[in-house]
């Protein structure tokens, strides 16, 4: 019955996924299914060839994994082809790892001096779209997988241009890499490669093994990137986890549109995972955080982000995360937003200046990121470290000036005179501002 399929279009669309083609041929066992598959193939083929903007572009990413730019010269990090990467010496190989992004499949992850890539078990060629140059990785995370009875963790590696989508970007974003590991040790025979013997000493668990391997490769690639984890002492949800009730959750459940997901409030930014499109909002890209639709049980959080769209350093875009549990409002607002001073948009200029100073230091004298990170001066510090210290000192000086200029009586005088009891009542009202917000939310 599959003979009625439009094989030409089918093979063209799924040329990098023969397994999908084979599955469609096997499932096309009736005239109605053949017609359905042909209609789907025709529709997707038209979208790919007519260059429809935005929504069709998202559909195109779902259909053909080869359309991802990972491992291609367009990601700005490498011009190596899959064939060239396959010739690199495999230093470490982790077998049967569950990958969820860019594709949901069990793969063997291979570490080379220049790349991290995935390949199908029993094969030697990298899977198209799952080739990541170490030099392209800007952020790395190790986070617990929510809502699982058994403890599992996700590694998230974010190459350049994978943090958050932009509706005005014409090209498809690069996919990040997300894969899951259990809380157990690797099984015998599941770790191979030239450095397998050295890895044996750190193979008490998958976490220690991958931390060692990733940090080594990032350092060898001269990347100033460290694996960031969630710290429950700095932020945790107060909502009880039904799956692991004795463990503090470090995530907050919410929605982006109709898609559910989880927010992680981390030391260097806010991560939204773990479904496509995964999003990361670095602290120095955040202009301000605000709240909307504050109801009795839920509220929405809006993050205004600097996008640098079209070279405009003041260009911003808002991302809204909906249906967050009201119980987590105080934790988010006080433990994270206020601590990082994200609620005050006037402070965004300082964060933006810090980011620009660091970026300028990276590219000073046209040396690029490597020299910006690694050029050590007479004081034993890199240019990047000196830039960060300079900005931190500037922020401290600004805070000291604010404290010196503060007049405790100025506010009361400007609002008119009154008795001391009235002044005390005003102070109490000011101190309970956050509680009043929550009470207002409860009334709604």
């Amino acid at each position: 019955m599959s003979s009625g399929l439009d094989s030409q279009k089918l093979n063209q669309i799924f040329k990098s996924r023969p397994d999908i083609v084979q599955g469609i041929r096997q499932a096309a066992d009736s005239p109605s299914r053949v017609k359905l598959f042909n209609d789907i193939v025709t529709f997707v083929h038209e979208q790919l060839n007519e260059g429809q903007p935005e929504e069709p572009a998202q559909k195109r990413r779902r259909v053909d994994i080869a359309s991802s730019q990972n491992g291609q010269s367009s990601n700005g990090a490498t011009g190596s082809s899959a064939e060239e990467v396959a010739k690199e010496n495999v230093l470490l190989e982790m077998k049967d790892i569950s990958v969820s992004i860019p594709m949901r499949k069990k793969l063997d992850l291979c570490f080379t001096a220049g790349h991290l890539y995935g390949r199908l078990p029993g094969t030697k060629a990298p899977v198209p779209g799952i080739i990541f140059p170490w030099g392209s990785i800007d952020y790395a995370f190790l986070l617990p997988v929510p809502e699982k009875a058994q403890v599992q963790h996700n590694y998230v590696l974010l190459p350049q241009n994978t943090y958050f989508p932009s509706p005005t970007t014409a090209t498809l974003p690069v996919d990040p890499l997300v894969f899951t590991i259990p809380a157990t040790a690797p099984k015998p025979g599941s770790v191979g490669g030239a450095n397998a013997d050295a890895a044996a000493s750190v193979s008490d668990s998958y976490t220690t093994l991958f931390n060692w391997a990733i940090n080594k490769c990032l350092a060898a690639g001269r990347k100033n990137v460290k694996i960031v984890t969630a710290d429950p002492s700095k932020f945790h949800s107060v909502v009880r986890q039904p799956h692991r009730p004795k463990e503090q959750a470090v995530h907050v459940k919410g929605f982006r549109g109709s898609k559910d997901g989880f927010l992680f409030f981390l030391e260097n930014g806010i991560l939204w995972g773990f479904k496509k499109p995964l999003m990361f909002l670095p602290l120095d890209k955040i202009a301000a955080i605000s709240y909307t639709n504050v109801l009795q049980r839920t509220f929405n959080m809006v993050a205004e982000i600097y996008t640098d769209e079209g070279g405009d350093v003041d260009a911003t875009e808002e991302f809204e995360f909906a249906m967050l549990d009201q119980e987590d409002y105080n934790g988010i607002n006080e433990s994270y937003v206020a601590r990082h001073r994200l609620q005050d948009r006037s402070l965004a200029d300082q964060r933006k200046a810090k980011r620009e100073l660091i970026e300028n230091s990276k590219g000073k004298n046209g040396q690029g990121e490597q020299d910006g990170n690694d050029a050590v001066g007479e004081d034993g510090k890199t240019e990047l470290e000196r830039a960060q210290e300079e900005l931190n000192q500037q922020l401290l000086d600004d805070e000291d000036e604010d404290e010196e200029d503060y007049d405790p009586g100025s506010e009361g005088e400007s609002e008119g005179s009154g008795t001391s009891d009235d002044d005390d009542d005003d102070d109490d009202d000011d101190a309970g501002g956050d509680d009043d917000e929550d009470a207002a939310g409860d009334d709604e």
Side-chain angles (χ1 to χ4, degrees):
M1 187 64 65
S2 62
S3 58
L5 290 171
D6 190 338
S7 298
Q8 183 178 358
K9 292 180 181 177
L10 187 64
N11 291 328
Q12 182 179 353
I13 294 173
F14 296 106
K15 60 184 177 182
S16 66
R17 294 296 305 274
D19 55 324
I20 293 180
V21 175
Q22 183 62 28
I24 291 176
R25 292 187 185 281
Q26 293 176 354
D29 54 4
S30 68
S32 60
R33 289 189 175 183
V34 169
K35 183 179 184 303
L36 174 62
F37 285 130
N38 281 341
D39 289 343
I40 293 173
V41 168
T42 300
F43 173 77
V44 174
H45 185 270
E46 289 175 353
Q47 306 310 305
L48 290 172
N49 286 278
E50 291 180 8
Q52 299 287 341
E54 294 184 8
E55 181 63 20
Q58 296 297 324
K59 295 178 181 296
R60 182 161 66 247
R61 291 181 64 226
R62 290 178 178 272
V63 170
D64 190 356
I65 194 67
S67 64
S68 170
Q69 300 299 313
N70 297 343
Q72 305 301 321
S73 58
S74 57
N75 68 7
T78 180
S80 302
S81 65
E83 292 76 12
E84 292 171 330
V85 173
K87 296 177 182 178
E88 296 180 5
N89 184 34
V90 176
L91 303 177
L92 210 59
E93 179 186 13
M94 320 285 198
K95 298 180 180 178
D96 295 325
I97 301 299
S98 296
V99 176
S100 54
I101 299 177
M103 63 189 298
R104 188 173 294 276
K105 202 170 187 66
K106 278 204 170 185
L107 300 173
D108 296 343
L109 293 184
C110 298
F111 291 66
T112 73
H115 296 83
L116 169 64
Y117 67 87
R119 63 188 185 191
L120 295 171
T123 66
K124 296 297 182 182
V127 175
I130 309 187
I131 303 173
F132 298 87
W134 291 114
S136 74
I137 304 298
D138 279 356
Y139 296 97
F141 303 97
L142 173 62
L143 302 170
V145 180
E147 300 184 350
K148 296 288 185 182
Q150 299 296 323
V151 177
Q152 296 178 334
H153 286 82
N154 276 342
Y155 277 94
V156 181
L157 301 183
L158 296 178
Q160 299 158 2
N161 305 320
T162 64
Y163 311 156
F164 46 84
S166 173
T168 59
T169 300
T171 58
L172 295 176
V174 179
D175 278 321
L177 175 63
V178 181
F179 60 91
T180 306
I181 55 151
T184 59
K187 296 179 180 179
S190 62
V191 179
N195 290 348
D197 291 340
S201 62
V202 291
S203 296
D204 296 336
S205 68
Y206 271 108
T207 302
T208 56
L209 176 59
F210 271 104
N211 281 353
W212 173 79
I214 292 174
N215 284 329
K216 284 285 187 183
C217 289
L218 287 173
R222 305 187 74 183
K223 290 289 291 184
N224 188 25
V225 177
K226 300 296 182 183
I227 298 174
V228 174
T229 59
D231 186 350
S233 67
K234 294 182 178 179
F235 176 85
H236 66 271
S237 171
V238 298
V239 178
R240 180 178 176 273
Q241 292 192 94
H243 298 83
R244 300 198 296 271
K246 295 182 180 180
E247 180 181 322
Q248 287 182 326
V250 291
H251 65 272
V252 173
K253 188 170 183 178
F255 286 83
R256 278 274 299 151
S258 61
K259 288 188 176 181
D260 63 331
F262 306 97
L263 285 168
F264 292 85
F265 296 87
L266 307 171
E267 64 184 52
N268 58 348
I270 302 172
L271 187 138
W272 169 258
F274 289 103
K275 300 176 182 178
K276 289 185 178 182
L278 186 142
M279 186 182 302
F280 178 63
L281 312 177
L283 286 179
D284 57 13
K285 286 275 191 179
I286 298 176
I289 296 288
S290 58
Y291 307 101
T292 63
N293 295 341
V294 181
L295 305 176
Q296 182 177 359
R297 296 184 181 276
T298 63
F299 67 99
N300 295 2
M301 184 184 79
V302 179
E304 184 182 359
I305 306 299
Y306 288 111
T307 62
D308 298 335
E309 196 70 43
D312 181 3
V313 295
D314 294 322
T316 63
E317 183 180 349
E318 290 187 346
F319 297 96
E320 186 170 19
F321 304 93
M323 301 292 288
L324 309 185
D325 198 302
Q326 183 65 243
E327 290 185 54
D328 282 321
Y329 175 81
N330 285 337
I332 293 173
N333 189 54
E334 297 174 10
S335 300
Y336 193 84
V337 173
R339 177 161 57 89
H340 291 286
R341 303 194 298 177
L342 302 176
Q343 79 281 14
D344 190 344
R345 201 189 188 290
S346 65
L347 298 173
D349 289 338
Q350 295 178 342
R351 292 192 294 273
K352 183 172 66 173
K354 180 176 180 179
R355 171 168 55 89
E356 291 173 350
L357 179 59
I358 293 173
E359 289 176 352
N360 290 338
S361 298
K362 289 179 180 180
K364 189 176 182 181
N365 298 326
Q367 293 299 310
E369 182 180 1
Q370 284 190 355
D371 291 346
N373 279 336
D374 300 313
V376 178
E378 294 179 357
D379 57 358
K381 298 178 181 178
T382 66
E383 187 73 22
L384 179 56
E385 290 170 338
R386 286 193 294 272
Q388 289 174 319
E389 288 185 0
E390 180 181 339
L391 231 298
N392 290 335
Q393 185 60 47
Q394 179 182 334
L395 295 178
L396 290 174
D397 293 342
D398 291 343
E399 290 179 2
D400 291 341
E401 290 178 4
D402 291 341
E403 291 177 0
E404 292 173 0
D405 295 340
Y406 175 64
D407 181 0
S410 61
E411 183 177 355
E413 293 171 2
S414 66
E415 294 177 353
S417 60
T419 67
S420 60
D421 290 341
D422 291 338
D423 292 340
D424 291 341
D425 290 342
D426 290 342
D427 292 341
D428 292 340
D429 291 342
D430 292 341
D434 290 340
D435 294 334
D436 292 341
E437 276 188 45
D438 293 345
D442 291 340
D443 291 338
E444 288 184 38

